[in-house]
Amino acid sequence: RKEVEQDPGPFNVPEGATVAFNCTYSNSASQSFFWYRQDCRKEPKLLMSVYSSGNEDGRFTAQLNRASQYISLLIRDSKLSDSATYLCVVNTGNQFYFGTGTSLTVIP
Amino acid sequence: DAGVTQSPTHLIKTRGQHVTLRCSPISGHKSVSWYQQVLGQGPQFIFQYYEKEERGRGNFPDRFSARQFPNYSSELNVNALLLGDSALYLCASSLYGGSGIYEQYFGPGTRLTVT
């Protein structure tokens, strides 16, 4: 079983839409959780850390459910510039495990 | 402040050769991690170094090795290159290493092509 699994995607949504990504992790001892954004042929960039109480940054909301071992990312009022691949990341022990990423395309 | 820097940006090597990739972390960061990313996949963890000691190793063969220098920069070495080693190699910098809660920041990567 993979350490981290993400929605397969791709997601194609119109501008202004709300879109949600989910990610599950297998190790209950995982300690920290993140969402990264990766543009084509670029490096991943940290989007948000995910806290137990959930956290929001502008149009982005991240949530963690430890009981069900999943994390989510909600993007409201999608912009064309949100088009990218979104990677969920789980830190277990001394390793960071990345999901395969979910591709988002926001359509005018 | 400068972010994470990596060199070279692109590299073409032949099967069987050896390659050395370099990374300088963000000033003040003491940990460097290395990842391999093949097209269509998320980054795969190779190594983590913190305070010049190896703190983690992913599921990669012994052909892959790394080290961290007193100034916290790092090198990733790959011996006996295979076609399957062609990938984007990413370096990530963080304040801390090992277990715990901390964020990683990535460099632009080195794109390695093995022919």
Side-chain angles (χ1 to χ4, degrees), chain A residues 2 31-32 34 36 38 41-46 48-49 51 87 91 93-101, chain B residues 35 37 40-43 45 48 55-58 88 90 98-108 111:
Chain A
K2 289 185 179 180
Q31 297 171 287
S32 53
F34 309 90
Y36 279 76
Q38 187 171 29
R41 301 183 73 80
K42 297 284 190 179
E43 74 273 22
K45 290 191 186 296
L46 180 64
M48 299 177 73
S49 299
Y51 304 124
L87 297 155
N91 180 9
N94 53 11
Q95 292 201 23
F96 279 69
Y97 295 96
F98 281 73
T100 54
Chain B
Y35 293 84
Q37 186 175 27
Q41 299 294 318
F45 174 77
Q48 185 189 69
R55 294 300 185 100
R57 176 185 284 253
L88 179 66
L90 293 160
S99 59
I101 300 174
Y102 52 90
E103 298 167 342
Q104 293 193 330
Y105 300 88
F106 284 84
R111 193 164 297 280

Side-chain angles (χ1 to χ4, degrees), chain A residues 1 13 16 38 55 57 62 68:
Chain A
R1 184 181 173 186
V13 302
Q38 187 171 29
N55 47 305
D57 182 3
S68 301

